[in-house]
Amino acid sequence: MNKKEELALNGGTPIRDSYLPYGKQCIDDEDIKAVNNVLKSDFITTGPAISQFEKEIADFVGAKYAVAFSSGTAALHAACFAAGVKDNDEVITTPMTFAASSNCILYVGGQPVFADIDPKTYNISPKSIKSLITEKTKAIITVDFTGQPAEYDEIISLAKKYGLIIIDDAAHALGATYKDRRIGSIGDMTMFSFHPVKHITTGEGGIITTCNEDYYERLQLFRSHGITRDSSKLKNNQGPWYYEMQELGYNYRMTDIQAALGSNQLKKLSRFLEKRKEYAKKYTEAFSGIDAITTPYQQDECISSWHLYIVRLDTEKLKTNRLEIFKALQMENIGVNVHYIPVHLHPYYQQLGYKNGLCPNAEKIYEEIITLPLFPTMSEQDHYDVIAGVKKVISYYSGDLR
Ligand SMILES: *Cc1c(COP(=O)(O)O)cnc(C)c1O
């Protein structure tokens, strides 16, 4: 075996010289100019760039309102507050997500209830949701995992039947569509994140879109200490200086500096989405003939925004475990990752009483998944390297070269 065929893990030459991350922001000169313009203006926070960005996002997704926050996590916290989730209310969510999707329930004193996932889509299973609804259930937090929309027809009909509020954690799904409707206009409230690995970035940042005026007002209140200056809402207006703190809120505001970056990034979103889709399609073509790999299943009538490209490994066919494959790919300089450690398996949740075995599908699939690099500014060569690296490692562990 020559040095190129030999796994880097075993002392061979890596597929590429430099490390390729799994995701990365794309900032150009226009973005920098937009930020500079705000820095030179009168407002660097709570100014016109915020309301402009909010309007642009609301228009893009087809929602009536949008409220920007300092992070996606802050936005989820606000959504739970606006939904009125409080002490001992149960909120059903998926374990196959970043911890923030469920932490926000704890922030307001609620009780996360984990529904298992569909083994094909890896999204929350409507059947599992249904089996967990009780008198105490207040809301459902869906996650459009990897950018593929959850099964909203079924979830909405459950929500209607049992009077539940749907909060969509769409951190992965800006630009995704479910049956001709954009994600952002389907749940009662939808959260998008603008963390650098997400579709567009504001450094840190998040937003809630909604069509409900009451939620809209509560979200705004929560973002800024629970304080209002709206004279029609004041209980005891003492004069022009007067404002009232009516709820316990936070300082969760986004700056205008960030919003200007977000607006400029949004102009490029359709290009970013196209590139992600193209690369995802080519991955699937390249891996479709490999027995030991399951490529991402895509639902009919949905368009994924392809935040993540996740392959599932058949570890029996590979005669090894995910850890070995992961290490081998990392050594080839392919920045693989794992999304996600099921939330209920984290020590904090275990200490709250959540047990292994609660969501068997999520737990099993977690052991077998690997996220491959996918971002719009990766080059054709980067993309080719990932395919070559995966083929090299998989064929080695399939026994062909062993
Ligand atoms: C990124 C992410 C969040 C949190 O967003 P931040 O902006 O980083 O706070 C929440 N849920 C999911 C599924 C995410 O991917």
Side-chain angles (χ1 to χ4, degrees):
M1 197 186 291
N2 68 32
K3 273 285 199 194
K4 271 228 135 75
E5 282 170 6
E6 181 114 36
L7 293 189
L9 189 67
N10 299 336
T13 309
I15 282 284
R16 43 183 289 131
D17 297 335
S18 64
Y19 184 78
L20 180 70
Y22 87 91
K24 196 178 156 194
Q25 74 277 13
C26 163
I27 303 286
D28 64 16
D29 288 345
E30 290 297 316
D31 290 319
I32 295 167
K33 213 192 271 170
V35 168
N36 270 334
N37 288 342
V38 167
L39 286 171
K40 290 184 216 150
S41 76
D42 289 341
F43 291 96
I44 59 171
T45 192
T46 323
I50 291 288
S51 30
Q52 187 185 326
F53 182 49
E54 289 173 338
K55 183 172 184 329
E56 288 167 355
I57 293 283
D59 288 349
F60 175 75
V61 303
K64 222 160 154 181
Y65 309 104
V67 182
F69 289 88
S70 50
S71 71
T73 303
L76 283 172
H77 185 183
C80 286
F81 167 83
V85 176
K86 38 185 184 306
D87 293 349
N88 301 318
D89 285 341
E90 292 177 359
V91 179
I92 299 172
T93 191
T94 168
M96 187 53 94
T97 184
F98 185 58
S101 313
S102 153
N103 290 350
C104 59
I105 304 163
L106 296 173
Y107 295 161
V108 295
Q111 172 89 38
V113 174
F114 294 103
D116 207 352
I117 59 171
D118 177 316
K120 232 153 91 176
T121 61
Y122 314 152
N123 264 325
I124 192 165
S125 149
K127 216 163 123 195
S128 179
I129 294 176
K130 186 162 184 218
S131 72
L132 294 167
I133 295 171
T134 71
E135 290 281 285
K136 291 182 178 173
T137 311
K138 177 92 187 176
I140 303 168
I141 300 183
T142 56
V143 174
D144 306 311
F145 185 64
T146 72
Q148 170 158 245
E151 289 176 49
Y152 286 105
D153 282 350
E154 289 175 64
I155 295 169
I156 289 168
S157 85
L158 286 172
K160 283 209 173 113
K161 185 162 171 202
Y162 296 97
L164 309 176
I165 297 164
I166 299 174
I167 299 171
D168 178 4
D169 175 344
H172 299 181
L174 185 62
T177 60
Y178 179 81
K179 301 192 175 173
D180 298 327
R181 283 176 71 189
R182 276 238 167 88
I183 290 295
S185 65
I186 295 175
D188 294 293
M189 287 178 266
T190 301
M191 182 280 276
F192 297 102
S193 163
F194 307 119
H195 180 277
V197 298
K198 306 290 160 66
H199 291 87
I200 63 170
T201 190
T202 58
E204 297 280 359
I207 207 162
I208 300 287
T209 60
T210 184
C211 291
N212 179 308
E213 190 176 355
D214 181 47
Y215 294 150
Y216 173 61
E217 287 176 357
R218 285 174 64 77
L219 291 164
Q220 284 185 315
L221 207 59
F222 193 75
R223 170 173 68 176
S224 210
H225 312 281
I227 285 174
T228 184
R229 290 174 181 279
D230 180 343
S231 60
S232 70
K233 299 218 160 55
L234 298 174
K235 299 193 189 331
N236 175 24
N237 193 348
Q238 299 170 9
W241 70 87
Y242 189 71
Y243 60 83
E244 271 174 1
M245 185 190 136
Q246 297 179 337
E247 297 277 357
L248 183 60
Y250 291 75
N251 178 354
Y252 275 167
R253 295 185 300 263
M254 180 185 272
T255 66
D256 276 45
I257 306 165
Q258 294 168 296
L261 178 56
S263 286
N264 206 67
Q265 288 260 302
L266 187 59
K267 291 183 194 160
K268 297 175 282 189
L269 178 63
S270 63
R271 253 195 301 146
F272 291 170
L273 289 167
E274 275 314 304
K275 210 67 202 172
R276 284 177 180 275
K277 203 159 122 193
E278 178 198 325
Y279 281 148
K281 186 162 168 260
K282 286 189 183 159
Y283 274 154
T284 295
E285 283 162 10
F287 303 138
S288 61
I290 303 175
D291 264 3
I293 288 182
T294 303
T295 54
Y297 173 82
Q298 293 300 290
Q299 293 220 84
D300 286 346
E301 299 182 87
C302 288
I303 300 172
S304 175
S305 53
W306 289 109
H307 167 55
L308 299 173
Y309 190 94
I310 292 180
V311 292
R312 184 170 174 187
L313 306 169
D314 185 330
T315 46
E316 269 169 39
K317 284 197 184 109
L318 290 170
K319 305 172 196 107
T320 187
N321 56 24
R322 189 255 317 262
L323 175 63
E324 189 75 10
I325 303 276
F326 187 92
K327 285 200 269 192
L329 285 164
Q330 285 274 342
M331 289 300 286
E332 299 296 335
N333 278 325
I334 308 298
V336 286
N337 211 316
V338 174
H339 296 93
Y340 289 94
I341 302 149
V343 177
H344 65 288
L345 301 185
H346 283 294
Y348 186 83
Y349 280 84
Q350 296 265 301
Q351 162 269 131
L352 290 177
Y354 295 89
K355 299 265 188 302
N356 294 45
L358 191 63
C359 297
N361 290 341
E363 290 167 37
K364 175 162 181 15
I365 288 163
Y366 161 63
E367 300 289 340
E368 301 172 348
I369 49 179
I370 280 190
T371 306
L372 302 181
L374 179 64
F375 53 95
T377 50
M378 68 193 284
S379 68
E380 300 279 337
Q381 183 64 46
D382 294 337
H383 185 260
Y384 177 81
D385 289 345
V386 178
I387 293 172
V390 169
K391 286 188 169 166
K392 178 180 172 182
V393 168
I394 294 297
S395 66
Y396 177 81
Y397 288 102
S398 301
D400 304 1
L401 288 171
R402 224 169 181 185

